[in-house]
Amino acid sequence: MTDLAIPEPRPAAVAVQPTAAAVPGKSIADWAHEADLAYQLADRLSTTSFIPSTMRGKVGDITACLLAGNELGLPPMAALKSMDVIHGTPGLRAHAMRALLQSRGHEIELVESSDTVCRMRGRRNGSEAWQEVVWTIARAQLAGFVAKNSNYKSQPTNMLVARATGEICRLVASDALHGVPYTVEELRDSQLQITAVQAGAPVTAAEILSRRGPAPQEIAPADGTDAEATGDTDPVDGEVYDEAAKLWDDILDAADDKHGWSPEQTEREFLNGSMGVPAALAPLETLRAFHAHLTGGAS
């Protein structure tokens, strides 16, 4: 078993320090100056053997890693060893995400870990209430990760721990993760290409449904004849998408109120199935289940 599957009491490997990026009132000019310095540093380091092979020679990715790490309070060298950039998105390695939260006083515990199940619990600093998540191979198969990622067959224990880590950390202290809410392992799992949304043009329910699952099934004639042969190929009426649109609006409101998620982050959480909503559900049922998970009750 690698260190990925071992809970750390309070590791010193990822030291978190206050940074200028967290200072209220920091101007965009100050940030731009820091970005320029980060780029210069990235350019000098980009070809060294210290840089992970996935980022070596990629000055832009290294710069993004340094800047994202700075916002989390990670020194440059720690950020480079704790983060990676997957499909243009910075992510934390699972052990680093746990260490980051533990360094802030939050508790993350590994309750059970095997090749088939990982049970992890956590609680926010100062809170008495524990939250628990469970990831199983069956859940990973249902989400389609096992078929796409061979690590679930060669390193199932580690992969389940990584999945559970990302989920419990977001539940316990999403504010500590800022703009890096996903583990590297989660980002590698996700092969979904999320279309960039133009500012001021929110994702529609129809787009979400088309990405998560098939469109509503065509209505088969009651007599069992072939719909295509009869020319009766009209899909389920528009009420399905009307309900989906309303549900998606409610989901965006709940995600913002309860988790502080932006529409883009809410979309990513939904598509990744990170709230435990089975991907195999019919599209409308999936929206209802996701809304229920967000609100803690029936949709």
Side-chain angles (χ1 to χ4, degrees):
M1 185 181 296
T2 70
D3 67 336
L4 184 62
I6 301 175
E8 304 85 354
R10 288 289 188 274
V14 183
V16 178
Q17 59 186 24
T19 67
V23 176
K26 183 181 178 64
S27 71
I28 190 66
D30 290 337
W31 188 90
H33 177 66
E34 288 186 359
D36 185 57
L37 293 177
Y39 185 88
Q40 294 177 39
L41 177 59
D43 188 43
R44 295 190 183 102
L45 294 173
S46 63
T47 58
T48 67
S49 59
F50 183 86
I51 300 296
S53 59
T54 54
M55 289 192 288
R56 195 168 301 150
K58 301 177 180 179
V59 179
D61 282 1
I62 298 171
T63 302
C65 178
L66 294 174
L67 291 171
N70 184 54
E71 293 186 358
L72 294 174
L74 299 176
M77 294 297 103
L80 290 171
K81 288 299 185 183
S82 302
M83 303 178 70
D84 207 342
V85 179
I86 309 296
H87 301 309
T89 303
L92 280 164
R93 299 186 187 280
H95 69 85
M97 184 175 285
R98 293 195 301 272
L100 178 64
L101 263 64
Q102 289 167 341
S103 71
R104 304 284 176 85
H106 308 300
E107 297 181 69
I108 305 293
E109 291 185 0
L110 184 63
V111 178
E112 178 184 1
S113 181
S114 70
D115 286 354
T116 58
V117 62
C118 177
R119 189 182 306 275
M120 195 171 284
R121 69 174 189 164
R123 64 179 174 183
R124 191 173 180 83
N125 186 11
S127 173
E128 295 296 325
W130 287 91
Q131 300 190 68
E132 185 173 280
V133 300
V134 179
W135 265 91
T136 64
I137 281 293
R139 181 180 173 187
Q141 288 174 329
L142 190 60
F145 300 143
V146 175
K148 293 186 294 186
N149 191 338
S150 62
N151 285 331
Y152 281 95
K153 296 177 181 178
S154 61
Q155 305 177 59
T157 301
N158 292 347
M159 294 306 296
L160 292 177
V161 168
R163 271 280 160 186
T165 291
E167 188 167 333
I168 193 63
C169 287
R170 286 190 294 273
L171 287 174
V172 169
S174 59
D175 56 319
L177 300 175
H178 298 289
V180 192
Y182 298 98
T183 65
V184 168
E185 294 83 359
E186 286 177 300
L187 291 174
R188 284 179 178 150
D189 273 345
S190 179
Q191 299 301 315
L192 297 166
Q193 299 299 319
I194 300 177
T195 304
V197 181
Q198 293 182 346
V203 178
T204 66
E207 290 171 332
I208 290 294
L209 290 174
S210 68
R211 295 177 196 174
R212 183 62 184 256
Q217 297 298 309
E218 295 173 350
I219 301 175
D223 60 5
T225 57
D226 187 347
E228 186 173 349
T230 64
D232 184 12
T233 58
D234 290 336
V236 174
D237 62 51
E239 291 182 3
V240 170
Y241 279 106
D242 288 343
E243 182 176 352
K246 182 181 184 305
L247 270 173
W248 187 246
D249 287 341
D250 291 343
I251 284 171
L252 292 178
D253 289 341
D256 182 36
D257 291 342
K258 293 182 176 292
H259 300 279
W261 292 348
S262 66
E264 291 80 8
Q265 184 174 350
T266 303
E267 178 191 3
R268 189 187 295 275
E269 295 284 350
F270 176 75
L271 293 173
N272 284 346
S274 60
M275 295 294 287
V277 178
L281 288 178
L284 193 55
E285 292 173 340
T286 304
L287 284 171
R288 289 172 181 151
F290 188 64
H291 182 264
H293 275 271
L294 280 174
T295 59
S299 60

